[in-house]
Amino acid sequence: MVLFSIGLPSRFSEWCDALLHHLVERALGSAEAVGVNGLDDLAAAAIRSNAAHLIACSRHPVARLRNEIVQSQRPFLLALGEPRAAVRRMFEHLANVADATRVAACSCAAMVELARAPHALVIGPSDGRSLRQLASAIVDHFALPLDASEVQHIADQFTAVDLPAEATDTEGWWRQLSEREQEIASGALEAYSEHFSSQDIERLVWQPELFYIGEEPVSSVLAPATRPADLTGRPRFVLYGPFINLPPGPWLADVVLGFSAEAADIGLTVEVFAGDRLASTRIEVVGEQVIETRLGFTIEDSLDEPVQIRVATERAAFDGRVVIGYAAMQRQATVPEETRQRLANALRR
């Protein structure tokens, strides 16, 4: 049997993995916890494991795996902690706030659809305050053959991550960041934090530090877009990034760019790319100016590619600079089905 424990990359999710593993071993026999983000990962783990049961622990399940989990209508565990804790956890490995934010944001996007699944047991750090109740909820959700006394004994004996300490450590780490570093993480993640508390996803803001400069000549080291990009040189993508996934659905991207006076008469293309071009528009620079452009696009349920905003010159340029202010993502309102039907009927008359 395969049981899924999915969550943001945090100690809280690791704690949930360990608790589920402990309960399954007690109820069903030998079990092994394995990292799984795709179907290939799952197949490889099943082949290699000698355990009777697998605890598939996932931090960024790809679209196909998410769809299979939902369509199977089998119970799974979904641990939604504080996104800032996910940034901190990834910072421990990457030592860079922008990179840690990028990973955490991709994980948040993967959780949105799963949280709506009817067979998900969605839990947060506050649920860990009563370990007995949480263990009982997991046992009931997965229909594990354990009676109340066994569950109580397991809960009393279980020791893992100190959840209050994680919250305190995250808050202390956050205060040590610079104001700019906090803006980078908050812009990309705050809307998810509100969404996981039953709010709509209002607005995601991707700051320049999450983008890269397409330098000429090409450099082997990626240059963050924290300075203006030189337009001089052959036609190319002068700005691109941030390589962050978005939840499925219709979106609007507002991209703010600043140009130097020398960039006058240069034409550029701004596009949304995720494995394929999803939307594009053309802008013509007339001098020193700030241009805000809006693009509408849709992320399909099956799309696994991270999103890029790419800015490209159309022809060789001899001068000029461009700087990105930010790219803001917001949900695009969908046309109600009754309105679609009414318009379709009107056109048939």
Side-chain angles (χ1 to χ4, degrees):
M1 181 184 294
V2 178
L3 299 93
F4 283 91
S5 179
I6 305 169
L8 300 179
S10 66
R11 291 198 175 106
F12 173 62
S13 293
E14 295 163 11
W15 184 86
C16 292
D17 297 342
L19 178 57
L20 179 59
H21 187 188
H22 202 63
L23 290 167
V24 169
E25 280 200 321
R26 187 65 173 265
L28 303 177
S30 64
E32 181 181 356
V34 294
V36 169
N37 284 319
L39 291 175
D40 289 344
D41 298 336
L42 182 58
I47 292 171
R48 294 169 183 167
S49 178
N50 293 319
H53 307 283
L54 291 180
I55 310 301
C57 308
S58 183
R59 301 296 168 259
H60 185 192
V62 300
R64 189 178 173 194
L65 179 59
R66 297 197 304 269
N67 292 336
E68 291 292 340
I69 291 171
V70 173
Q71 292 172 13
S72 72
Q73 298 186 359
R74 293 176 59 183
F76 64 94
L77 186 65
L78 187 64
L80 295 181
E82 167 59 49
R84 289 194 302 181
V87 178
R88 173 178 175 265
R89 189 62 170 147
M90 296 314 305
F91 184 83
E92 292 174 358
H93 299 281
L94 301 172
N96 179 283
V97 170
D99 290 339
T101 296
R102 188 176 287 108
V103 175
C106 288
S107 182
C108 285
M111 303 300 145
V112 171
E113 295 301 309
L114 289 173
R116 301 173 182 170
H119 297 280
L121 177 60
V122 182
I123 60 176
S126 61
D127 295 305
R129 294 172 188 165
S130 177
L131 186 53
R132 291 184 182 180
Q133 290 182 6
L134 178 56
S136 295
I138 293 173
V139 166
D140 291 342
H141 188 68
F142 287 97
L144 298 177
L146 292 171
D147 61 34
S149 62
E150 289 179 295
V151 173
Q152 179 176 326
H153 177 73
I154 293 170
D156 291 343
Q157 296 297 315
F158 181 74
T159 57
V161 177
D162 186 346
L163 295 183
E166 179 179 42
T168 302
D169 291 347
T170 297
E171 191 60 36
W173 173 80
W174 182 260
R175 288 196 298 267
Q176 292 175 5
L177 297 179
S178 68
E179 184 176 337
R180 185 59 187 169
E181 288 173 324
Q182 292 180 5
E183 288 177 355
I184 295 168
S186 294
L189 296 170
E190 188 171 353
Y192 286 118
S193 182
E194 295 171 352
H195 176 71
F196 296 150
S197 300
S198 301
Q199 304 286 330
D200 291 333
I201 297 177
E202 292 293 337
R203 191 168 182 259
L204 303 167
V205 180
W206 295 339
Q207 297 290 352
E209 288 83 352
L210 297 170
F211 291 82
Y212 300 104
I213 293 174
E215 294 187 304
E216 179 76 7
V218 177
S219 172
S220 59
V221 179
L222 294 176
T226 52
R227 57 175 173 80
D230 191 352
L231 297 175
T232 305
R234 61 188 175 86
R236 68 189 189 281
F237 292 109
V238 291
L239 293 168
Y240 61 96
F243 298 98
I244 292 177
N245 294 82
L246 287 173
W251 290 86
L252 292 173
D254 293 320
V255 185
V256 177
L257 302 167
F259 295 91
S260 67
E262 299 82 9
D265 300 324
I266 293 179
L268 300 99
T269 299
V270 182
E271 69 177 30
V272 180
F273 184 87
D276 198 359
R277 179 184 286 185
L278 304 183
S280 67
T281 188
R282 184 181 185 277
I283 57 177
E284 185 78 32
V285 184
V286 298
E288 183 177 331
Q289 63 182 132
V290 173
I291 297 177
E292 180 176 359
T293 185
R294 169 168 283 189
L295 301 95
F297 61 99
T298 299
I299 301 295
E300 301 293 344
D301 290 342
S302 59
L303 185 62
D304 269 329
E305 297 291 333
V307 173
Q308 294 183 61
I309 305 296
R310 308 201 299 193
V311 181
T313 51
E314 295 180 335
R315 54 182 172 80
F318 299 97
D319 205 349
R321 296 183 302 162
V322 58
V323 63
I324 185 168
Y326 60 82
M329 308 292 123
Q330 60 183 352
R331 291 281 200 179
Q332 184 176 351
T334 56
V335 179
E337 185 57 37
E338 57 270 24
T339 302
R340 292 179 183 274
Q341 190 62 48
R342 177 171 56 81
L343 295 177
N345 292 337
L347 291 171
R348 294 190 189 104
R349 292 172 185 166

